[in-house]
Amino acid sequence: SSPPRHPTDHTVRYTDQAVSAVTSKFKAPQPTKDEVVSAYRRDQILTAAHGVFASKGFRQATVGDIADAAGVAKGTLYLYFKSKDDIYWAAMNRGLDGLHALTTAALERVDHPREQLRAFIETKVRFFDADRDFFSIYFAEFGNVSPHHVPAQKAFLRRYMEQVELLDRTLQAAAAAGTVRASVLNGLGFSVLA
């Protein structure tokens, strides 16, 4: 004969099923086909924009150049973006969001401040090496964009400052551990990322 069951065996199974039944009601809805196609097209345009802005520069690039590089009609591009500035800032924000996610994840994988500094720098170098078009528009073209696109610039600046703060926290932890001199920290994160 089988051994007697523990009294909570059934309860645990029932609770798991109840929790599963409850949480299945709160799952995020699956994206529609139109939403998937729209996200794909937007990404396709932004990828093409990176290349066009990097090769021609912001001022010389046209919306038509970006549409051609993306393989879409110019009118299709305007369904997703209002202007060249809008495309530029969307591309900048997408790139910086990716970089921020990678640097944050890299720092979470290591504990010692020296290793965190190394992880931060290596992640940025690898990111910019892998996406040289973004590197080009990030550093070379940043000052050539019209100042009228304030909402996108604010989002970019917010993410940029999060990178500065992430580096500042890492440097402060390194100073506390004796890895770097505390006297050199004032504004160093901003200086390094500028």
Side-chain angles (χ1 to χ4, degrees):
S1 99
S2 64
R5 297 179 74 166
H6 191 276
T8 60
D9 284 352
H10 180 71
T11 305
V12 169
R13 283 193 199 107
Y14 177 78
T15 303
D16 288 346
Q17 290 171 353
V19 168
S20 177
V22 169
T23 57
S24 68
K25 292 179 185 178
F26 296 105
K27 288 184 181 175
Q30 293 294 320
T32 66
K33 180 181 175 183
D34 287 344
E35 290 169 336
V36 170
V37 169
S38 180
Y40 172 79
R41 183 73 67 209
R42 183 177 168 81
D43 188 62
Q44 178 184 12
I45 293 166
L46 292 177
T47 299
H50 274 199
V52 171
F53 288 135
S55 66
K56 292 190 170 200
F58 178 80
R59 292 186 195 274
Q60 297 300 314
T62 67
V63 171
D65 294 334
I66 297 166
D68 290 345
V72 299
K74 195 171 169 181
T76 301
L77 191 139
Y78 281 113
L79 294 173
Y80 298 92
F81 301 98
K82 295 177 184 177
S83 66
K84 183 172 73 170
D85 278 9
D86 193 29
I87 297 166
Y88 178 84
W89 286 108
M92 292 291 284
N93 284 319
R94 181 184 77 157
L96 201 54
D97 285 348
L99 176 59
H100 187 71
L102 290 172
T103 53
T104 301
L107 292 178
E108 289 173 354
R109 286 193 295 271
V110 293
D111 292 324
H112 193 276
R114 179 188 322 263
E115 295 306 313
Q116 288 179 330
L117 280 172
R118 178 176 284 124
F120 187 92
I121 293 165
E122 285 177 355
T123 301
K124 286 192 73 116
V125 169
R126 285 185 182 133
F127 181 85
F128 285 130
D129 187 49
D131 192 347
R132 290 175 184 241
D133 288 343
F134 178 71
F135 177 81
S136 176
I137 63 174
Y138 181 81
F139 285 106
E141 291 297 326
F142 190 68
N144 291 331
V145 181
S146 73
H148 302 5
H149 210 12
V150 175
Q153 288 176 344
K154 283 183 180 177
F156 177 82
L157 184 58
R158 183 176 54 251
R159 181 59 80 195
Y160 177 83
M161 291 309 296
E162 288 172 359
Q163 281 283 287
V164 169
E165 290 164 6
L166 187 61
L167 180 56
D168 278 342
R169 283 192 307 271
T170 304
L171 288 166
Q172 288 168 2
T179 304
V180 297
R181 290 190 314 265
S183 62
V184 301
L185 292 185
N186 191 17
L188 185 59
F190 188 77
S191 298
V192 168
L193 292 179

